[in-house]
Amino acid sequence: MSDSSAPTSRLTPAQESTLDLIRRTTEPLVFSAELVAELREEANEAFAHFGDRLDGNQVFVTKHTLAGVFGCETQFLAPDEFEWTPSRARGQVSHRAIQLLINWRGEAAPAELVDEAIARLLNEEKGLSPWLETLGQGDLADLRAMCSDHVTKFMECFPPLDPRSRPVTESSTQWPVDGQILLRGRADLTMGKPFERESRKLIVDFKTGRVVPRHREDLRFYAIVETLYRQVPPLKLASFYLDAAPPIVEDVTENMLRSTLRRTLDGVHALIELRVEGRPPTKSPGAPCRWCPLAADCSEGQTYLHRDDIADATDDEGL
Ligand code: SF4
């Protein structure tokens, strides 16, 4: 991560606040080679043990997998009935538009970026394209307006990125290279790169909706995958909420890495129990009951949804 992404004199106050939070401090952060070796050894030993229980299956573990097994297990095992909605499409299009912005040369207007993002998504065979094709002019105009709002907020609150800070969007990371259990992360934005063993990388996830603890766990998962793979932990993690600046930033620490690895291994253990060994899933009523496809027939979910004290439903879509 560079010390400065843009000349501060040209930044808005909101951009300066963001930059103050994400910039590298003067004190170098260097995690010991022994710590990284211990983490890799612990993961390798656990994976060898899990491999005996996998019965030839291969499992991919992402932040969504862990959020699922640590959320309501019954919902996690329910058939995936994913459907595009305006809210989900807004996140996807805004994300693509911001991705274009980060690599755009010269001035770009939010509406121009959103139009380009929609055009590119329409050209893809899978994903959002079939849903976009069903939209009439009015719905498309609504979608453009929502996405332009998000891109505008990003431009107003996130400092312009200097190419020397090595901004990379949608950076995929996997560890190990092959095997029965694969940990996979894909960060919305990374900046910086390690200098020898010195941690200098910032990992950013863009979010819409409200702040929930899971978002920090998502980023910590990226941090442990990065550590296992590149052998140098990142420096900082940032959740950037497009509806509420400044970002929530967390320094990477040894305790964080150790506890995140344990959480990840606990998640793989639960995943094998549920998906391979047939343990009956538990129910954990909570916010996910609001969009759970099983809610209508779930007494625990209905009890939760009819409590007087739950806040109004708001989405918490990642972009
Ligand atoms: S309604 Fe709630 S408790 Fe019931 S299965 Fe869905 S998420 Fe779990």
Side-chain angles (χ1 to χ4, degrees), residues 74-107:
T74 300
Q75 184 190 52
F76 174 66
L77 290 188
D80 187 2
E81 295 174 359
F82 180 86
E83 285 180 2
W84 284 105
T85 61
S87 166
R88 285 177 169 150
R90 176 191 61 181
Q92 181 87 357
V93 174
S94 300
H95 192 174
R96 181 62 76 91
I98 291 171
Q99 192 179 348
L100 289 168
L101 168 68
I102 287 167
N103 292 291
W104 202 270
R105 297 293 169 258
E107 288 285 317

PDB file of all heavy atoms in Angstrom, residues 74-107:
ATOM      1  N   THR A  74     -29.545 -25.114   9.030  1.00  0.00           N
ATOM      2  CA  THR A  74     -30.689 -25.604   8.240  1.00  0.00           C
ATOM      3  C   THR A  74     -30.832 -24.778   6.965  1.00  0.00           C
ATOM      4  O   THR A  74     -31.043 -25.320   5.871  1.00  0.00           O
ATOM      5  CB  THR A  74     -31.967 -25.547   9.090  1.00  0.00           C
ATOM      6  OG1 THR A  74     -31.776 -26.374  10.241  1.00  0.00           O
ATOM      7  CG2 THR A  74     -33.176 -26.034   8.306  1.00  0.00           C
ATOM      8  N   GLN A  75     -30.704 -23.491   7.084  1.00  0.00           N
ATOM      9  CA  GLN A  75     -30.762 -22.636   5.895  1.00  0.00           C
ATOM     10  C   GLN A  75     -29.577 -22.940   4.968  1.00  0.00           C
ATOM     11  O   GLN A  75     -29.736 -22.979   3.744  1.00  0.00           O
ATOM     12  CB  GLN A  75     -30.736 -21.165   6.297  1.00  0.00           C
ATOM     13  CG  GLN A  75     -30.892 -20.218   5.123  1.00  0.00           C
ATOM     14  CD  GLN A  75     -30.625 -18.771   5.520  1.00  0.00           C
ATOM     15  OE1 GLN A  75     -29.601 -18.447   6.117  1.00  0.00           O
ATOM     16  NE2 GLN A  75     -31.562 -17.900   5.206  1.00  0.00           N
ATOM     17  N   PHE A  76     -28.428 -23.177   5.549  1.00  0.00           N
ATOM     18  CA  PHE A  76     -27.232 -23.452   4.739  1.00  0.00           C
ATOM     19  C   PHE A  76     -27.426 -24.681   3.860  1.00  0.00           C
ATOM     20  O   PHE A  76     -26.984 -24.720   2.711  1.00  0.00           O
ATOM     21  CB  PHE A  76     -26.034 -23.643   5.679  1.00  0.00           C
ATOM     22  CG  PHE A  76     -24.765 -24.061   4.992  1.00  0.00           C
ATOM     23  CD1 PHE A  76     -24.123 -23.213   4.112  1.00  0.00           C
ATOM     24  CD2 PHE A  76     -24.218 -25.314   5.226  1.00  0.00           C
ATOM     25  CE1 PHE A  76     -22.959 -23.597   3.471  1.00  0.00           C
ATOM     26  CE2 PHE A  76     -23.048 -25.703   4.591  1.00  0.00           C
ATOM     27  CZ  PHE A  76     -22.418 -24.849   3.711  1.00  0.00           C
ATOM     28  N   LEU A  77     -28.109 -25.702   4.397  1.00  0.00           N
ATOM     29  CA  LEU A  77     -28.291 -26.940   3.624  1.00  0.00           C
ATOM     30  C   LEU A  77     -29.507 -26.891   2.694  1.00  0.00           C
ATOM     31  O   LEU A  77     -29.712 -27.804   1.905  1.00  0.00           O
ATOM     32  CB  LEU A  77     -28.440 -28.132   4.574  1.00  0.00           C
ATOM     33  CG  LEU A  77     -27.186 -28.563   5.343  1.00  0.00           C
ATOM     34  CD1 LEU A  77     -27.442 -29.860   6.089  1.00  0.00           C
ATOM     35  CD2 LEU A  77     -25.970 -28.733   4.414  1.00  0.00           C
ATOM     36  N   ALA A  78     -30.306 -25.840   2.796  1.00  0.00           N
ATOM     37  CA  ALA A  78     -31.496 -25.747   1.939  1.00  0.00           C
ATOM     38  C   ALA A  78     -31.060 -25.592   0.484  1.00  0.00           C
ATOM     39  O   ALA A  78     -29.995 -25.021   0.199  1.00  0.00           O
ATOM     40  CB  ALA A  78     -32.337 -24.542   2.358  1.00  0.00           C
ATOM     41  N   PRO A  79     -31.859 -26.103  -0.464  1.00  0.00           N
ATOM     42  CA  PRO A  79     -31.510 -25.919  -1.878  1.00  0.00           C
ATOM     43  C   PRO A  79     -31.321 -24.442  -2.204  1.00  0.00           C
ATOM     44  O   PRO A  79     -32.072 -23.595  -1.711  1.00  0.00           O
ATOM     45  CB  PRO A  79     -32.734 -26.494  -2.624  1.00  0.00           C
ATOM     46  CG  PRO A  79     -33.409 -27.376  -1.629  1.00  0.00           C
ATOM     47  CD  PRO A  79     -33.117 -26.801  -0.267  1.00  0.00           C
ATOM     48  N   ASP A  80     -30.304 -24.174  -3.002  1.00  0.00           N
ATOM     49  CA  ASP A  80     -30.002 -22.792  -3.359  1.00  0.00           C
ATOM     50  C   ASP A  80     -30.995 -22.306  -4.413  1.00  0.00           C
ATOM     51  O   ASP A  80     -30.995 -22.790  -5.543  1.00  0.00           O
ATOM     52  CB  ASP A  80     -28.570 -22.709  -3.914  1.00  0.00           C
ATOM     53  CG  ASP A  80     -28.145 -21.264  -4.138  1.00  0.00           C
ATOM     54  OD1 ASP A  80     -28.949 -20.364  -3.825  1.00  0.00           O
ATOM     55  OD2 ASP A  80     -27.016 -21.056  -4.610  1.00  0.00           O
ATOM     56  N   GLU A  81     -31.848 -21.381  -4.019  1.00  0.00           N
ATOM     57  CA  GLU A  81     -32.844 -20.869  -4.972  1.00  0.00           C
ATOM     58  C   GLU A  81     -32.517 -19.418  -5.320  1.00  0.00           C
ATOM     59  O   GLU A  81     -33.360 -18.529  -5.249  1.00  0.00           O
ATOM     60  CB  GLU A  81     -34.245 -20.995  -4.376  1.00  0.00           C
ATOM     61  CG  GLU A  81     -34.648 -22.456  -4.181  1.00  0.00           C
ATOM     62  CD  GLU A  81     -35.971 -22.605  -3.455  1.00  0.00           C
ATOM     63  OE1 GLU A  81     -36.561 -21.586  -3.080  1.00  0.00           O
ATOM     64  OE2 GLU A  81     -36.385 -23.753  -3.270  1.00  0.00           O
ATOM     65  N   PHE A  82     -31.273 -19.226  -5.691  1.00  0.00           N
ATOM     66  CA  PHE A  82     -30.811 -17.860  -5.975  1.00  0.00           C
ATOM     67  C   PHE A  82     -31.583 -17.241  -7.138  1.00  0.00           C
ATOM     68  O   PHE A  82     -31.798 -17.871  -8.166  1.00  0.00           O
ATOM     69  CB  PHE A  82     -29.322 -17.888  -6.329  1.00  0.00           C
ATOM     70  CG  PHE A  82     -28.773 -16.529  -6.629  1.00  0.00           C
ATOM     71  CD1 PHE A  82     -28.306 -15.722  -5.605  1.00  0.00           C
ATOM     72  CD2 PHE A  82     -28.744 -16.039  -7.927  1.00  0.00           C
ATOM     73  CE1 PHE A  82     -27.805 -14.459  -5.866  1.00  0.00           C
ATOM     74  CE2 PHE A  82     -28.250 -14.773  -8.199  1.00  0.00           C
ATOM     75  CZ  PHE A  82     -27.777 -13.986  -7.168  1.00  0.00           C
ATOM     76  N   GLU A  83     -32.014 -16.035  -6.922  1.00  0.00           N
ATOM     77  CA  GLU A  83     -32.660 -15.266  -7.991  1.00  0.00           C
ATOM     78  C   GLU A  83     -32.108 -13.853  -7.966  1.00  0.00           C
ATOM     79  O   GLU A  83     -31.870 -13.302  -6.894  1.00  0.00           O
ATOM     80  CB  GLU A  83     -34.181 -15.192  -7.766  1.00  0.00           C
ATOM     81  CG  GLU A  83     -34.903 -16.475  -8.078  1.00  0.00           C
ATOM     82  CD  GLU A  83     -36.410 -16.325  -7.833  1.00  0.00           C
ATOM     83  OE1 GLU A  83     -36.856 -15.223  -7.465  1.00  0.00           O
ATOM     84  OE2 GLU A  83     -37.104 -17.335  -8.011  1.00  0.00           O
ATOM     85  N   TRP A  84     -31.938 -13.277  -9.132  1.00  0.00           N
ATOM     86  CA  TRP A  84     -31.517 -11.877  -9.172  1.00  0.00           C
ATOM     87  C   TRP A  84     -32.664 -10.993  -8.724  1.00  0.00           C
ATOM     88  O   TRP A  84     -33.832 -11.245  -9.055  1.00  0.00           O
ATOM     89  CB  TRP A  84     -31.091 -11.488 -10.585  1.00  0.00           C
ATOM     90  CG  TRP A  84     -29.739 -12.025 -10.919  1.00  0.00           C
ATOM     91  CD1 TRP A  84     -29.455 -13.076 -11.739  1.00  0.00           C
ATOM     92  CD2 TRP A  84     -28.489 -11.561 -10.400  1.00  0.00           C
ATOM     93  NE1 TRP A  84     -28.103 -13.297 -11.772  1.00  0.00           N
ATOM     94  CE2 TRP A  84     -27.483 -12.382 -10.947  1.00  0.00           C
ATOM     95  CE3 TRP A  84     -28.124 -10.551  -9.514  1.00  0.00           C
ATOM     96  CZ2 TRP A  84     -26.137 -12.206 -10.653  1.00  0.00           C
ATOM     97  CZ3 TRP A  84     -26.779 -10.376  -9.217  1.00  0.00           C
ATOM     98  CH2 TRP A  84     -25.802 -11.198  -9.790  1.00  0.00           C
ATOM     99  N   THR A  85     -32.340  -9.985  -7.972  1.00  0.00           N
ATOM    100  CA  THR A  85     -33.311  -8.979  -7.537  1.00  0.00           C
ATOM    101  C   THR A  85     -32.691  -7.616  -7.849  1.00  0.00           C
ATOM    102  O   THR A  85     -31.469  -7.525  -8.075  1.00  0.00           O
ATOM    103  CB  THR A  85     -33.539  -9.064  -6.017  1.00  0.00           C
ATOM    104  OG1 THR A  85     -32.286  -8.800  -5.352  1.00  0.00           O
ATOM    105  CG2 THR A  85     -34.056 -10.435  -5.603  1.00  0.00           C
ATOM    106  N   PRO A  86     -33.495  -6.549  -7.874  1.00  0.00           N
ATOM    107  CA  PRO A  86     -32.894  -5.226  -8.109  1.00  0.00           C
ATOM    108  C   PRO A  86     -31.773  -4.918  -7.127  1.00  0.00           C
ATOM    109  O   PRO A  86     -30.754  -4.329  -7.500  1.00  0.00           O
ATOM    110  CB  PRO A  86     -34.086  -4.275  -7.934  1.00  0.00           C
ATOM    111  CG  PRO A  86     -35.270  -5.104  -8.324  1.00  0.00           C
ATOM    112  CD  PRO A  86     -34.967  -6.490  -7.829  1.00  0.00           C
ATOM    113  N   SER A  87     -31.936  -5.337  -5.864  1.00  0.00           N
ATOM    114  CA  SER A  87     -30.900  -5.052  -4.864  1.00  0.00           C
ATOM    115  C   SER A  87     -29.604  -5.787  -5.203  1.00  0.00           C
ATOM    116  O   SER A  87     -28.512  -5.219  -5.123  1.00  0.00           O
ATOM    117  CB  SER A  87     -31.425  -5.482  -3.491  1.00  0.00           C
ATOM    118  OG  SER A  87     -30.383  -5.526  -2.569  1.00  0.00           O
ATOM    119  N   ARG A  88     -29.711  -7.057  -5.568  1.00  0.00           N
ATOM    120  CA  ARG A  88     -28.502  -7.822  -5.923  1.00  0.00           C
ATOM    121  C   ARG A  88     -27.879  -7.277  -7.204  1.00  0.00           C
ATOM    122  O   ARG A  88     -26.656  -7.187  -7.326  1.00  0.00           O
ATOM    123  CB  ARG A  88     -28.847  -9.295  -6.099  1.00  0.00           C
ATOM    124  CG  ARG A  88     -29.088 -10.002  -4.775  1.00  0.00           C
ATOM    125  CD  ARG A  88     -29.489 -11.434  -4.975  1.00  0.00           C
ATOM    126  NE  ARG A  88     -29.458 -12.156  -3.720  1.00  0.00           N
ATOM    127  CZ  ARG A  88     -30.248 -13.178  -3.423  1.00  0.00           C
ATOM    128  NH1 ARG A  88     -31.154 -13.591  -4.296  1.00  0.00           N
ATOM    129  NH2 ARG A  88     -30.142 -13.781  -2.262  1.00  0.00           N
ATOM    130  N   ALA A  89     -28.725  -6.951  -8.171  1.00  0.00           N
ATOM    131  CA  ALA A  89     -28.204  -6.416  -9.431  1.00  0.00           C
ATOM    132  C   ALA A  89     -27.498  -5.087  -9.203  1.00  0.00           C
ATOM    133  O   ALA A  89     -26.451  -4.811  -9.791  1.00  0.00           O
ATOM    134  CB  ALA A  89     -29.350  -6.241 -10.430  1.00  0.00           C
ATOM    135  N   ARG A  90     -28.045  -4.278  -8.302  1.00  0.00           N
ATOM    136  CA  ARG A  90     -27.418  -2.993  -7.977  1.00  0.00           C
ATOM    137  C   ARG A  90     -25.990  -3.208  -7.484  1.00  0.00           C
ATOM    138  O   ARG A  90     -25.062  -2.509  -7.893  1.00  0.00           O
ATOM    139  CB  ARG A  90     -28.253  -2.306  -6.901  1.00  0.00           C
ATOM    140  CG  ARG A  90     -27.679  -1.009  -6.402  1.00  0.00           C
ATOM    141  CD  ARG A  90     -28.424  -0.537  -5.170  1.00  0.00           C
ATOM    142  NE  ARG A  90     -28.317  -1.509  -4.080  1.00  0.00           N
ATOM    143  CZ  ARG A  90     -28.877  -1.374  -2.879  1.00  0.00           C
ATOM    144  NH1 ARG A  90     -29.645  -0.346  -2.638  1.00  0.00           N
ATOM    145  NH2 ARG A  90     -28.718  -2.275  -1.945  1.00  0.00           N
ATOM    146  N   GLY A  91     -25.841  -4.199  -6.603  1.00  0.00           N
ATOM    147  CA  GLY A  91     -24.509  -4.480  -6.085  1.00  0.00           C
ATOM    148  C   GLY A  91     -23.561  -4.922  -7.181  1.00  0.00           C
ATOM    149  O   GLY A  91     -22.421  -4.447  -7.273  1.00  0.00           O
ATOM    150  N   GLN A  92     -24.034  -5.817  -8.035  1.00  0.00           N
ATOM    151  CA  GLN A  92     -23.177  -6.367  -9.087  1.00  0.00           C
ATOM    152  C   GLN A  92     -22.761  -5.279 -10.086  1.00  0.00           C
ATOM    153  O   GLN A  92     -21.592  -5.172 -10.463  1.00  0.00           O
ATOM    154  CB  GLN A  92     -23.949  -7.480  -9.823  1.00  0.00           C
ATOM    155  CG  GLN A  92     -23.197  -8.162 -10.923  1.00  0.00           C
ATOM    156  CD  GLN A  92     -22.371  -9.329 -10.403  1.00  0.00           C
ATOM    157  OE1 GLN A  92     -22.334  -9.563  -9.191  1.00  0.00           O
ATOM    158  NE2 GLN A  92     -21.710 -10.031 -11.285  1.00  0.00           N
ATOM    159  N   VAL A  93     -23.735  -4.465 -10.503  1.00  0.00           N
ATOM    160  CA  VAL A  93     -23.426  -3.432 -11.504  1.00  0.00           C
ATOM    161  C   VAL A  93     -22.526  -2.357 -10.890  1.00  0.00           C
ATOM    162  O   VAL A  93     -21.550  -1.911 -11.523  1.00  0.00           O
ATOM    163  CB  VAL A  93     -24.734  -2.805 -12.060  1.00  0.00           C
ATOM    164  CG1 VAL A  93     -24.419  -1.633 -12.980  1.00  0.00           C
ATOM    165  CG2 VAL A  93     -25.561  -3.855 -12.795  1.00  0.00           C
ATOM    166  N   SER A  94     -22.828  -1.963  -9.652  1.00  0.00           N
ATOM    167  CA  SER A  94     -21.995  -0.934  -9.001  1.00  0.00           C
ATOM    168  C   SER A  94     -20.564  -1.433  -8.856  1.00  0.00           C
ATOM    169  O   SER A  94     -19.602  -0.695  -9.072  1.00  0.00           O
ATOM    170  CB  SER A  94     -22.548  -0.581  -7.612  1.00  0.00           C
ATOM    171  OG  SER A  94     -23.852  -0.099  -7.707  1.00  0.00           O
ATOM    172  N   HIS A  95     -20.450  -2.682  -8.483  1.00  0.00           N
ATOM    173  CA  HIS A  95     -19.136  -3.284  -8.313  1.00  0.00           C
ATOM    174  C   HIS A  95     -18.347  -3.230  -9.619  1.00  0.00           C
ATOM    175  O   HIS A  95     -17.183  -2.835  -9.652  1.00  0.00           O
ATOM    176  CB  HIS A  95     -19.335  -4.733  -7.864  1.00  0.00           C
ATOM    177  CG  HIS A  95     -18.081  -5.372  -7.373  1.00  0.00           C
ATOM    178  ND1 HIS A  95     -18.068  -6.624  -6.823  1.00  0.00           N
ATOM    179  CD2 HIS A  95     -16.813  -4.954  -7.364  1.00  0.00           C
ATOM    180  CE1 HIS A  95     -16.843  -6.925  -6.484  1.00  0.00           C
ATOM    181  NE2 HIS A  95     -16.055  -5.937  -6.806  1.00  0.00           N
ATOM    182  N   ARG A  96     -19.009  -3.613 -10.711  1.00  0.00           N
ATOM    183  CA  ARG A  96     -18.324  -3.613 -12.003  1.00  0.00           C
ATOM    184  C   ARG A  96     -17.953  -2.182 -12.417  1.00  0.00           C
ATOM    185  O   ARG A  96     -16.873  -1.941 -12.969  1.00  0.00           O
ATOM    186  CB  ARG A  96     -19.216  -4.261 -13.070  1.00  0.00           C
ATOM    187  CG  ARG A  96     -18.572  -4.314 -14.451  1.00  0.00           C
ATOM    188  CD  ARG A  96     -17.307  -5.155 -14.473  1.00  0.00           C
ATOM    189  NE  ARG A  96     -17.628  -6.565 -14.448  1.00  0.00           N
ATOM    190  CZ  ARG A  96     -17.800  -7.324 -15.535  1.00  0.00           C
ATOM    191  NH1 ARG A  96     -17.644  -6.790 -16.718  1.00  0.00           N
ATOM    192  NH2 ARG A  96     -18.112  -8.589 -15.419  1.00  0.00           N
ATOM    193  N   ALA A  97     -18.848  -1.243 -12.124  1.00  0.00           N
ATOM    194  CA  ALA A  97     -18.565   0.154 -12.495  1.00  0.00           C
ATOM    195  C   ALA A  97     -17.367   0.676 -11.695  1.00  0.00           C
ATOM    196  O   ALA A  97     -16.506   1.378 -12.244  1.00  0.00           O
ATOM    197  CB  ALA A  97     -19.806   1.013 -12.236  1.00  0.00           C
ATOM    198  N   ILE A  98     -17.284   0.334 -10.418  1.00  0.00           N
ATOM    199  CA  ILE A  98     -16.146   0.789  -9.605  1.00  0.00           C
ATOM    200  C   ILE A  98     -14.860   0.127 -10.086  1.00  0.00           C
ATOM    201  O   ILE A  98     -13.792   0.740 -10.123  1.00  0.00           O
ATOM    202  CB  ILE A  98     -16.418   0.513  -8.106  1.00  0.00           C
ATOM    203  CG1 ILE A  98     -17.540   1.425  -7.614  1.00  0.00           C
ATOM    204  CG2 ILE A  98     -15.161   0.703  -7.274  1.00  0.00           C
ATOM    205  CD1 ILE A  98     -18.057   1.104  -6.218  1.00  0.00           C
ATOM    206  N   GLN A  99     -14.996  -1.123 -10.476  1.00  0.00           N
ATOM    207  CA  GLN A  99     -13.837  -1.833 -11.033  1.00  0.00           C
ATOM    208  C   GLN A  99     -13.327  -1.099 -12.280  1.00  0.00           C
ATOM    209  O   GLN A  99     -12.120  -0.898 -12.452  1.00  0.00           O
ATOM    210  CB  GLN A  99     -14.286  -3.254 -11.397  1.00  0.00           C
ATOM    211  CG  GLN A  99     -13.174  -4.206 -11.715  1.00  0.00           C
ATOM    212  CD  GLN A  99     -13.741  -5.585 -12.025  1.00  0.00           C
ATOM    213  OE1 GLN A  99     -14.909  -5.862 -11.787  1.00  0.00           O
ATOM    214  NE2 GLN A  99     -12.929  -6.434 -12.579  1.00  0.00           N
ATOM    215  N   LEU A 100     -14.250  -0.675 -13.130  1.00  0.00           N
ATOM    216  CA  LEU A 100     -13.850   0.083 -14.330  1.00  0.00           C
ATOM    217  C   LEU A 100     -13.203   1.401 -13.935  1.00  0.00           C
ATOM    218  O   LEU A 100     -12.182   1.805 -14.494  1.00  0.00           O
ATOM    219  CB  LEU A 100     -15.072   0.343 -15.212  1.00  0.00           C
ATOM    220  CG  LEU A 100     -15.664  -0.871 -15.938  1.00  0.00           C
ATOM    221  CD1 LEU A 100     -17.027  -0.526 -16.535  1.00  0.00           C
ATOM    222  CD2 LEU A 100     -14.711  -1.331 -17.036  1.00  0.00           C
ATOM    223  N   LEU A 101     -13.797   2.066 -12.948  1.00  0.00           N
ATOM    224  CA  LEU A 101     -13.272   3.364 -12.511  1.00  0.00           C
ATOM    225  C   LEU A 101     -11.822   3.240 -12.064  1.00  0.00           C
ATOM    226  O   LEU A 101     -10.983   4.098 -12.387  1.00  0.00           O
ATOM    227  CB  LEU A 101     -14.134   3.887 -11.356  1.00  0.00           C
ATOM    228  CG  LEU A 101     -13.579   5.073 -10.581  1.00  0.00           C
ATOM    229  CD1 LEU A 101     -13.558   6.325 -11.459  1.00  0.00           C
ATOM    230  CD2 LEU A 101     -14.401   5.335  -9.322  1.00  0.00           C
ATOM    231  N   ILE A 102     -11.527   2.180 -11.312  1.00  0.00           N
ATOM    232  CA  ILE A 102     -10.187   2.040 -10.743  1.00  0.00           C
ATOM    233  C   ILE A 102      -9.130   1.913 -11.842  1.00  0.00           C
ATOM    234  O   ILE A 102      -7.988   2.327 -11.667  1.00  0.00           O
ATOM    235  CB  ILE A 102     -10.172   0.842  -9.765  1.00  0.00           C
ATOM    236  CG1 ILE A 102     -10.932   1.241  -8.489  1.00  0.00           C
ATOM    237  CG2 ILE A 102      -8.759   0.388  -9.428  1.00  0.00           C
ATOM    238  CD1 ILE A 102     -11.272   0.101  -7.576  1.00  0.00           C
ATOM    239  N   ASN A 103      -9.536   1.373 -12.971  1.00  0.00           N
ATOM    240  CA  ASN A 103      -8.560   1.209 -14.058  1.00  0.00           C
ATOM    241  C   ASN A 103      -8.792   2.188 -15.208  1.00  0.00           C
ATOM    242  O   ASN A 103      -8.186   2.058 -16.269  1.00  0.00           O
ATOM    243  CB  ASN A 103      -8.626  -0.234 -14.571  1.00  0.00           C
ATOM    244  CG  ASN A 103      -8.126  -1.198 -13.523  1.00  0.00           C
ATOM    245  OD1 ASN A 103      -6.946  -1.231 -13.208  1.00  0.00           O
ATOM    246  ND2 ASN A 103      -9.045  -1.968 -12.934  1.00  0.00           N
ATOM    247  N   TRP A 104      -9.697   3.150 -15.005  1.00  0.00           N
ATOM    248  CA  TRP A 104     -10.021   4.131 -16.054  1.00  0.00           C
ATOM    249  C   TRP A 104      -8.922   5.179 -16.132  1.00  0.00           C
ATOM    250  O   TRP A 104      -8.392   5.590 -15.108  1.00  0.00           O
ATOM    251  CB  TRP A 104     -11.352   4.798 -15.683  1.00  0.00           C
ATOM    252  CG  TRP A 104     -12.096   5.422 -16.815  1.00  0.00           C
ATOM    253  CD1 TRP A 104     -11.980   6.698 -17.253  1.00  0.00           C
ATOM    254  CD2 TRP A 104     -13.108   4.796 -17.602  1.00  0.00           C
ATOM    255  NE1 TRP A 104     -12.864   6.920 -18.283  1.00  0.00           N
ATOM    256  CE2 TRP A 104     -13.565   5.775 -18.522  1.00  0.00           C
ATOM    257  CE3 TRP A 104     -13.682   3.527 -17.648  1.00  0.00           C
ATOM    258  CZ2 TRP A 104     -14.562   5.511 -19.457  1.00  0.00           C
ATOM    259  CZ3 TRP A 104     -14.671   3.266 -18.567  1.00  0.00           C
ATOM    260  CH2 TRP A 104     -15.100   4.237 -19.475  1.00  0.00           C
ATOM    261  N   ARG A 105      -8.584   5.613 -17.311  1.00  0.00           N
ATOM    262  CA  ARG A 105      -7.615   6.701 -17.452  1.00  0.00           C
ATOM    263  C   ARG A 105      -8.359   7.961 -17.860  1.00  0.00           C
ATOM    264  O   ARG A 105      -9.101   7.955 -18.833  1.00  0.00           O
ATOM    265  CB  ARG A 105      -6.551   6.348 -18.505  1.00  0.00           C
ATOM    266  CG  ARG A 105      -5.719   5.134 -18.123  1.00  0.00           C
ATOM    267  CD  ARG A 105      -4.836   5.408 -16.896  1.00  0.00           C
ATOM    268  NE  ARG A 105      -4.231   4.185 -16.375  1.00  0.00           N
ATOM    269  CZ  ARG A 105      -4.667   3.519 -15.290  1.00  0.00           C
ATOM    270  NH1 ARG A 105      -5.718   3.947 -14.624  1.00  0.00           N
ATOM    271  NH2 ARG A 105      -4.064   2.429 -14.886  1.00  0.00           N
ATOM    272  N   GLY A 106      -8.179   9.022 -17.102  1.00  0.00           N
ATOM    273  CA  GLY A 106      -8.894  10.264 -17.381  1.00  0.00           C
ATOM    274  C   GLY A 106     -10.168  10.341 -16.567  1.00  0.00           C
ATOM    275  O   GLY A 106     -10.460   9.490 -15.735  1.00  0.00           O
ATOM    276  N   GLU A 107     -10.925  11.414 -16.796  1.00  0.00           N
ATOM    277  CA  GLU A 107     -12.157  11.656 -16.047  1.00  0.00           C
ATOM    278  C   GLU A 107     -13.248  10.701 -16.497  1.00  0.00           C
ATOM    279  O   GLU A 107     -13.378  10.401 -17.678  1.00  0.00           O
ATOM    280  CB  GLU A 107     -12.630  13.092 -16.292  1.00  0.00           C
ATOM    281  CG  GLU A 107     -11.785  14.153 -15.634  1.00  0.00           C
ATOM    282  CD  GLU A 107     -12.037  14.225 -14.131  1.00  0.00           C
ATOM    283  OE1 GLU A 107     -13.213  14.161 -13.733  1.00  0.00           O
ATOM    284  OE2 GLU A 107     -11.052  14.323 -13.373  1.00  0.00           O
TER     285      GLU A 107
END
